[in-house]
Amino acid sequence: MKLSAYASLVIVSCLASGAFAQSRLLVAEKGAQSLAIIDPGSGKVLASVPEGGITGHEVIASADGKLAFVPVYGNSGVGSPGTDGTNIAVIDIASRKVTGNIAFDHGIRPHCPMIGPKDKLLYVTTELDQTITIIDPKTLKIIGTLPTGQPQSHMLALSHDGRRAYTANVGPGTVSVIDIAARKVLKVIPVSGNTQRISISPDDKWVFTADQTKPQMAVIDTTTNTVAKWIPMEGIGYGSAPTPDGRWLLVALPDQNKVAVIDLKTMQVARTVAVGNYPQEIIVRPDGKSAYISCEKADSVDEIDATTWKVTRTIQTGKYADGLAWAGQ
């Protein structure tokens, strides 16, 4: 069917005005107390939205891709003295403005936010209370908590079936396994003297966390809730993310300025990719074609082609790029 000049103009106008949803890459600019909103197509930083003067380390987008939730942790590292964050900034991605706030009644150091894969609720680690707080992202109201049974429950992974939560408990060096429906701890798994970050395989069979005392990844069998395997690496690991097809696990190696690519069939490092200074967090695009790695000391995010394993682009951001999230399809 041939379109009239008017109809063609309307379609072009709608596309240009953003009437159709566009994906965005979100980056917590830890050193600038702001959130970068990036067009992943052009690699352009569209805006750096101030969070209110205190540092947010992590970010997640709502299920519909319209809002970004940035827990305001404070100005310290985990387990160290400093300010204790009391809120979560809510940012409208389209208007690039803070439009809401989720306040706690005391210092709680909220940190890692996740969206429930089934219920679409917002889950956030609330470290000083040894809990995960559950929030309705539509009303911005707190509707419950999950216990972790451990201090320093810093990072969180949710199973894709919506049944389990797993926290990396830094100082204790453990992982808590939590039944979401029953709201109780099923098991605390000893891992090492200190552990950081956590991720889960797409089939929910494996949970991964990085040993901070030795250059190795712990692989937890979610059936037995025990450490089933150790994967040696050339440096201490940090953030990790699996590819959507479950074939690869990408792990940041901050002191090596590399990303390790682990073959999940063999549970061995297949290759490493050189990236910018001090890589922190990794996300893989929903289509699995590219991965993004925040490089804290380079103030940038590197984009890696997940077929060639080459860095295809470096996106300059604000100071101390850290937490990453994807908004849209």
Side-chain angles (χ1 to χ4, degrees):
M1 181 178 70
K2 187 176 180 180
L3 294 173
S4 68
Y6 174 76
S8 298
L9 180 62
V10 168
I11 291 172
V12 171
S13 177
C14 287
L15 287 169
S17 66
F20 298 102
Q22 294 181 332
S23 297
R24 294 290 181 252
L25 176 65
L26 309 177
V27 185
E29 299 172 315
K30 191 165 61 177
Q33 297 86 45
S34 59
L35 178 73
I37 300 173
I38 295 171
D39 177 357
S42 66
K44 181 182 178 181
V45 177
L46 302 175
S48 289
V49 183
E51 298 156 5
I54 306 176
T55 304
H57 300 180
E58 300 293 326
V59 60
I60 200 71
S62 58
D64 61 10
K66 294 181 179 179
L67 299 176
F69 300 99
V70 182
V72 178
Y73 184 79
N75 62 6
S76 68
V78 60
S80 299
T83 59
D84 301 331
T86 61
N87 72 296
I88 300 171
V90 183
I91 295 170
D92 183 272
I93 295 171
S95 67
R96 307 166 195 173
K97 295 178 180 179
V98 175
T99 57
N101 184 62
I102 303 165
F104 299 94
D105 60 8
H106 63 287
I108 205 167
R109 294 193 180 186
H111 193 250
C112 180
M114 299 290 289
I115 296 293
K118 299 294 185 180
D119 58 23
K120 308 305 179 187
L121 297 174
L122 174 62
Y123 293 77
V124 180
T125 56
T126 34
E127 193 173 295
L128 295 185
D129 277 6
Q130 300 183 24
T131 59
I132 298 163
T133 296
I134 308 171
I135 298 162
D136 183 331
K138 294 180 180 179
T139 64
L140 305 184
K141 301 296 185 182
I142 295 170
I143 59 174
T145 59
L146 303 173
T148 70
Q150 295 278 277
Q152 299 180 19
S153 299
H154 198 56
M155 299 297 286
L156 169 66
L158 299 176
S159 63
H160 299 80
D161 63 11
R163 298 176 59 216
R164 299 285 182 263
Y166 301 86
T167 58
N169 311 311
V170 179
T174 60
V175 167
S176 295
V177 184
I178 302 154
D179 183 317
I180 294 175
R183 298 192 180 185
K184 68 177 184 179
V185 176
L186 297 177
K187 189 173 182 180
V188 175
I189 306 169
V191 177
S192 74
N194 190 291
T195 190
Q196 259 287 7
R197 307 284 162 142
I198 196 164
S199 61
I200 188 168
S201 62
D203 60 8
D204 291 338
K205 289 183 178 179
W206 309 107
V207 165
F208 311 97
T209 190
D211 188 346
Q212 299 301 283
T213 68
K214 295 179 181 179
Q216 59 184 4
M217 286 293 287
V219 182
I220 294 170
D221 184 330
T222 60
T223 302
T224 62
N225 287 328
T226 58
V227 177
K229 304 174 188 293
W230 292 98
I231 303 174
M233 300 185 297
E234 64 180 79
I236 298 291
Y238 206 60
S240 64
T243 54
D245 61 6
R247 178 65 195 278
W248 309 102
L249 179 73
L250 281 64
V251 185
L253 306 177
D255 292 338
Q256 304 294 315
N257 295 332
K258 293 179 180 179
V259 168
V261 182
I262 293 172
D263 186 334
L264 291 180
K265 290 184 177 179
T266 64
M267 293 290 179
Q268 295 180 342
V269 176
R271 59 180 59 81
T272 59
V273 182
V275 294
N277 196 359
Y278 214 61
Q280 295 287 289
E281 191 153 296
I282 302 173
I283 61 167
V284 181
R285 209 164 65 191
D287 64 8
K289 294 181 179 180
S290 296
Y292 298 89
I293 297 88
S294 58
C295 301
E296 182 180 290
K297 295 181 181 179
D299 304 330
S300 64
V301 174
D302 278 355
E303 180 186 70
I304 292 177
D305 185 305
T307 303
T308 64
W309 301 113
K310 304 288 186 184
V311 173
T312 53
R313 180 167 53 184
T314 295
I315 302 169
Q316 290 302 135
T317 65
K319 191 174 182 180
Y320 298 159
D322 192 1
L324 300 173
W326 188 265
Q329 301 300 314

